[in-house]
Amino acid sequence: MSKIGRNEPCPCGSGEKYKKCCGSPSGTGAKSTVPEFEWENEQFKEVADRISQGIAAGEEYPENFEYTALFLWRKYCDKKNPDIKKPANYAASIEYITLKVLGGMRMTLKGLGEKYGGSSTTISKRYKEIEKVIEEDLIVLMKKEIEKNKEIRRKLKERTGL
């Protein structure tokens, strides 16, 4: 698993070095655990806000879930520059993709449609569209998750002796 160098630009897009942002000793960056992303327009920001609100709405997700979702949304916006008509469908699609990447599929497309007030058919269409555009980024994230899980299992084995 490749690590981010302390002097490399932070992957959150802040423009700061990693050591002065998300890689600070407190592990929380300058202000919070989820760094502020700069959004090119209000539509992109509205989707990002809906993603954050949706994630905060009752689900118990891993610590890095919101950051990962916003990171994927940022990658998609940078590559596609989408014209957004219904932000809820994009937010639900990003949550669905993030669930796939980080594992623990606790939500169906229908459930996400109900949660965000969108159609499961449209969310599925958006999800497939987004997935194609950011496919390389998803592969990298999935490999990192696999490596992280292997490391956790290795440490567990060492501790338990099994």
Side-chain angles (χ1 to χ4, degrees):
M1 180 166 98
S2 65
K3 290 179 82 177
I4 301 166
R6 289 181 38 78
N7 289 316
E8 291 180 40
C10 189
C12 74
S14 68
E16 296 285 325
K17 288 184 178 183
Y18 179 68
K19 68 182 178 185
K20 293 193 178 208
C21 192
C22 298
S24 69
S26 66
T28 60
K31 294 176 188 155
S32 76
T33 56
V34 180
E36 278 292 317
F37 287 87
E38 295 289 324
W39 300 103
E40 196 170 309
N41 64 49
E42 281 302 311
Q43 289 180 320
F44 296 175
K45 184 174 181 348
E46 182 180 351
V47 173
D49 289 344
R50 286 187 183 221
I51 291 168
S52 293
Q53 291 164 2
I55 289 168
E59 294 293 323
E60 271 197 44
Y61 288 127
E63 183 179 318
N64 62 338
F65 192 90
E66 184 179 4
Y67 172 80
T68 303
L70 293 172
F71 176 79
L72 292 173
W73 175 239
R74 177 61 188 227
K75 286 290 189 181
Y76 178 69
C77 291
D78 288 348
K79 291 180 179 185
K80 184 75 174 175
N81 194 20
D83 180 29
I84 298 160
K85 294 184 180 27
K86 293 191 176 182
N89 289 328
Y90 284 93
S93 298
I94 289 292
E95 185 172 334
Y96 188 75
I97 290 170
T98 309
L99 282 165
K100 284 183 65 175
V101 170
L102 297 180
M105 289 294 297
R106 295 182 290 263
M107 189 73 78
T108 63
L109 288 171
K110 183 180 178 185
L112 285 167
E114 291 168 1
K115 178 178 178 178
Y116 283 92
S119 149
S120 60
T121 304
T122 304
I123 293 168
S124 176
K125 182 179 172 185
R126 291 287 168 256
Y127 143 71
K128 289 174 186 171
E129 171 189 306
I130 293 168
E131 190 175 52
K132 282 180 187 173
V133 172
I134 61 172
E135 183 175 23
E136 289 175 15
D137 302 296
L138 292 171
I139 290 169
V140 169
L141 282 171
M142 287 177 154
K143 284 181 180 179
K144 285 181 180 181
E145 282 300 308
I146 289 168
E147 288 301 315
K148 186 171 113 182
N149 288 335
K150 283 181 184 176
E151 182 64 16
I152 290 168
R153 276 186 253 138
R154 185 189 64 75
K155 286 180 180 179
L156 186 61
K157 242 182 185 179
E158 285 176 3
R159 286 185 191 149
T160 61
L162 299 175

